[in-house]
Amino acid sequence: MATYHIETYGCTSNRGESREIERALRDGGHYPAESPADADVAILNTCTVVEKTERNMLRRAEELADETADLVVTGCMALAQGEEFREAGIDADVLHWDDVPSHVLNGECPTVTPDTEPVLDGVIGILPIARGCMSNCSYCITKFATGRVDSPPVEENVEKARALVHAGAKEIRVTGQDTGVYGWDTGDRTLPELLDRICGIDGEFRVRLGMANPGGIHGIHEELADVFARNEKLYDFIHAPVQSGSDEVLETMRRQHRVEKFREIVAAFDDRLDHWTLSTDFIVGFPTETEADHERSMALLREVRPEKINVTRFSKRPGTDAAEMKGLGGTIKKERSKSMSELKMSVVAEAYESMIGETFEVLVVEQGTGDSVKCRDPAYRQVIVQGASDRGIAVGEFLDVEITGHNTVYAFGEPV
């Protein structure tokens, strides 16, 4: 028996991979340590989405190598840029996600047994439904790590979801590099069927669909919106990253959609759902982005008014085609990021302001700061409830709250 310490960075998919690694280690008789210094092995599950993240991963790997006897590095940076750790002189084994359990357990337990309970994050269960994507975006380095989409059968994912519910999950996060292309590799577009089947599992829980590129869900967007409309267990939330409001920029990004397709997706959900959350992403300062292109992005943001918006400055990633393009100056990118971020805060604040006075059933998903708890309403908007212990409010509980205020990106609620 040995002790392990896992640190995970990046997206929910990475967290799901870490849970599978941890499940295998526990199945092999290992148990978690309180800190890296107390662990026989430290596992760093990396992200490399932008240059700043890459630098942070190298720094953290160096720190962990000094703190623990054995360091394993996995995840997207390990797979796409594994040589960076060696060139930095970091003493670590750089491995694929699937190879980590076998390496740590000396080949004794490479996979988990079917009856092993999943590892939860509190009451949150992560369900990676597939690996990889079907895109070839000119700026993306993650595709080098994950490859083309590989989709397990619907039944297999439904059984994994059922195991999460039986283990106590109250929130299931359906995730992948691009959930919208689930099933494409087998010739089927089976995401709507999968979500219907998961929601049909007995139990009181909620399901959140993870990131789905507009190019992946366009064509099934009306069927998908129907699935949301008829399933109360599904959070009325969709993350569809548009990245730009300019078709010319989307073309040089090699995105699989254009602005009008994104609008059609939004319209389908608007037609079927009253209270729902649109989450989207914008990259500002892409090398070919003109001032007019930036204004088109700003106009699209004002038009569709997403409730959650990620704004990222373009960052060159090694090995991508966009890294070879002549970039914009840092000042231009900073100014465009500032203007869009200011607009973002105004749009998001308006969404939360509109909730004040309304009552929603929320799910308590985790502890907050002090004696508060973090909750999610039916549209996956975050609601903070104070004084949880005095009121006997526990994580995993459903309760009705009236929205009394907001702090721009989350609301405050009082139990009814």
Side-chain angles (χ1 to χ4, degrees):
M1 295 178 65
T3 56
Y4 62 86
H5 170 82
I6 300 180
E7 289 188 10
T8 309
Y9 296 86
C11 63
T12 308
S13 286
N14 255 19
R15 289 175 59 192
E17 299 288 359
S18 288
R19 296 291 77 78
E20 284 302 300
I21 292 170
E22 187 169 9
R23 189 179 177 192
L25 296 182
R26 290 188 179 187
D27 199 42
H30 288 36
Y31 55 95
E34 292 187 1
S35 70
D38 298 324
D40 295 305
V41 59
I43 301 163
L44 179 64
N45 193 349
T46 58
C47 175
T48 185
V49 65
V50 294
E51 185 180 0
K52 180 180 178 181
T53 306
E54 176 188 328
R55 294 196 301 267
N56 289 339
M57 294 298 93
L58 289 170
R59 176 183 52 78
R60 186 57 184 150
E62 188 173 6
E63 292 170 349
L64 286 173
D66 291 337
E67 290 181 53
T68 190
D70 186 13
L71 173 63
V72 173
V73 177
T74 189
C76 290
M77 186 173 174
L79 300 181
Q81 301 164 276
E83 71 284 353
E84 294 288 334
F85 297 96
R86 290 184 284 272
E87 291 174 3
I90 296 170
D91 183 15
D93 293 298
V94 180
L95 303 173
H96 190 279
W97 293 289
D98 292 340
D99 296 329
V100 175
S102 181
H103 173 82
V104 174
L105 298 166
N106 297 315
E108 296 174 5
C109 181
T111 57
V112 300
T113 57
D115 58 349
T116 305
E117 276 203 351
V119 179
L120 305 181
D121 288 342
V123 296
I124 298 169
I126 301 175
L127 175 62
I129 59 171
R131 276 187 185 150
C133 71
M134 295 293 282
S135 301
N136 186 31
C137 300
S138 62
Y139 56 85
C140 181
I141 193 173
T142 304
K143 63 188 178 186
F144 300 141
T146 60
R148 304 291 275 177
V149 69
D150 181 14
S151 309
V154 168
E155 187 61 38
E156 183 177 326
N157 278 321
V158 172
E159 287 307 309
K160 288 181 179 179
R162 184 173 286 111
L164 289 169
V165 174
H166 289 170
K170 292 295 185 179
E171 178 178 291
I172 297 176
R173 295 183 180 175
V174 174
T175 186
Q177 278 71 44
D178 181 0
T179 62
V181 296
Y182 173 69
W184 278 31
D185 51 316
T186 61
D188 298 312
R189 304 184 73 178
T190 46
L191 180 62
E193 177 191 350
L194 175 62
L195 294 176
D196 260 335
R197 293 278 305 280
I198 292 173
C199 290
I201 296 170
D202 288 340
E204 192 175 17
F205 60 93
R206 296 292 178 265
V207 180
R208 191 206 72 178
L209 178 64
M211 194 276 286
N213 276 312
I217 56 175
H218 190 269
I220 60 168
H221 55 287
E222 293 191 350
E223 181 184 0
L224 194 60
D226 288 336
V227 172
F228 277 77
R230 65 173 172 261
N231 284 298
E232 290 186 359
K233 288 179 180 176
L234 265 175
Y235 285 118
D236 290 330
F237 167 96
I238 190 154
H239 179 194
V242 67
Q243 303 298 15
S244 176
S246 164
D247 282 347
E248 289 75 17
V249 173
L250 291 174
E251 184 173 353
T252 54
M253 286 180 170
R254 290 206 300 266
R255 297 289 284 167
Q256 293 179 322
H257 69 278
R258 296 298 178 263
V259 175
E260 190 54 36
K261 285 188 175 181
F262 177 73
R263 287 193 178 102
E264 290 171 4
I265 293 167
V266 175
F269 281 80
D270 273 340
D271 287 345
R272 291 160 175 82
L273 304 173
D274 294 326
H275 177 72
W276 72 286
T277 291
L278 169 64
S279 173
T280 196
D281 305 350
F282 285 92
I283 294 174
V284 295
F286 191 76
T288 63
E289 183 187 71
T290 65
E291 187 62 34
D293 292 326
H294 174 64
E295 286 304 320
R296 291 186 186 100
S297 292
M298 297 282 280
L300 181 64
L301 198 162
R302 293 187 190 97
E303 174 191 340
V304 299
R305 310 195 77 75
E307 288 79 6
K308 182 174 173 56
I309 308 153
N310 301 308
V311 179
T312 305
R313 295 184 206 177
F314 171 74
S315 175
K316 289 187 176 184
R317 307 307 297 125
T320 65
D321 291 341
E324 305 301 318
M325 300 177 184
K326 183 179 179 180
L328 302 178
T331 301
I332 292 175
K333 289 193 287 187
K334 183 177 180 180
E335 289 174 350
R336 291 180 186 174
S337 175
K338 182 175 183 291
S339 64
M340 180 167 280
S341 295
E342 289 174 350
L343 176 58
K344 158 192 167 177
M345 298 305 283
S346 172
V347 170
V348 173
E350 180 183 286
Y352 280 98
E353 181 73 25
S354 69
M355 294 171 63
I356 294 177
E358 298 288 330
T359 298
F360 300 98
E361 182 185 57
V362 300
L363 170 62
V364 184
V365 291
E366 59 185 314
Q367 289 295 138
T369 304
D371 194 27
S372 69
V373 286
K374 297 179 181 178
C375 313
R376 295 289 181 175
D377 83 340
Y380 202 66
R381 297 178 191 176
Q382 184 165 276
V383 179
I384 303 297
V385 176
Q386 306 282 359
S389 60
D390 291 341
R391 292 166 162 161
I393 298 172
V395 172
E397 180 181 346
F398 290 86
L399 66 151
D400 292 330
V401 299
E402 180 183 348
I403 306 303
T404 57
H406 71 92
N407 190 18
T408 305
V409 294
Y410 55 83
F412 293 103
E414 284 292 316
V416 175

